[in-house]
Amino acid sequence: MQVPLWLALLVVGYLGVKLMRPPAWLIAVLLLGGFLLADSVLAPAINSLIK
């Protein structure tokens, strides 16, 4: 069975919020920080560290 990545991320995110109950500001900081890092000059360096 093949599941689209967006659906898997949505399910994991939903379960993480429901089970761990992080504060809303932490969720906002992680989402905004990830979005800003993905479009920054640091993106190639982060990509090479992940791979």
Side-chain angles (χ1 to χ4, degrees):
M1 181 170 98
Q2 293 182 357
V3 178
L5 179 61
W6 64 268
L7 181 60
L9 289 175
L10 186 69
V11 169
V12 168
Y14 177 77
L15 289 176
V17 168
K18 281 294 188 185
L19 295 176
M20 293 176 37
R21 301 270 184 200
W25 65 265
L26 181 60
I27 296 171
V29 165
L30 289 175
L31 287 174
L32 185 61
F35 179 76
L36 292 175
L37 277 177
D39 198 31
S40 71
V41 296
L42 296 175
I46 295 170
N47 191 23
S48 66
L49 287 174
I50 292 174
K51 287 186 178 183

